[in-house]
Amino acid sequence: MRMCFSCAPIASLMPISRVRSVTDTSMMFMMPMPPTTELQPRVEDILRDTRRITPDRDPDFSIRDMTQIADAMASATTTMTGMLGAVAGVSLLVG
């Protein structure tokens, strides 16, 4: 069986030591985003209009942004870490 060198991937044409040293570079460009705290009142107004909820009534929806979710996850992680430490301490005392 013969290899077609013009069709073969470049990695098969290089020695393995050179293939391992190849690194890929990924570039990311970030666009500035407006803070979600500025958008929340606008979203709430749109939802109130869509659901026909008057301003004097409590909304039947809640709006959360990623910072609130991240704070909740951090709190849950801290609680789980404390519980895991307590279980490890009890197992050391019993064992």
Side-chain angles (χ1 to χ4, degrees), residues 32-46:
M33 299 293 288
T36 56
T37 54
E38 294 177 10
L39 296 176
Q40 280 183 344
R42 291 175 47 195
V43 171
E44 184 174 348
D45 290 341
I46 292 169

Side-chain angles (χ1 to χ4, degrees), residues 49-65:
D49 290 343
T50 303
R51 295 172 178 239
R52 296 185 179 105
I53 300 172
T54 58
D56 59 327
R57 289 182 47 210
D58 289 334
D60 60 352
F61 57 86
S62 61
I63 301 172
R64 303 195 190 284
D65 64 355

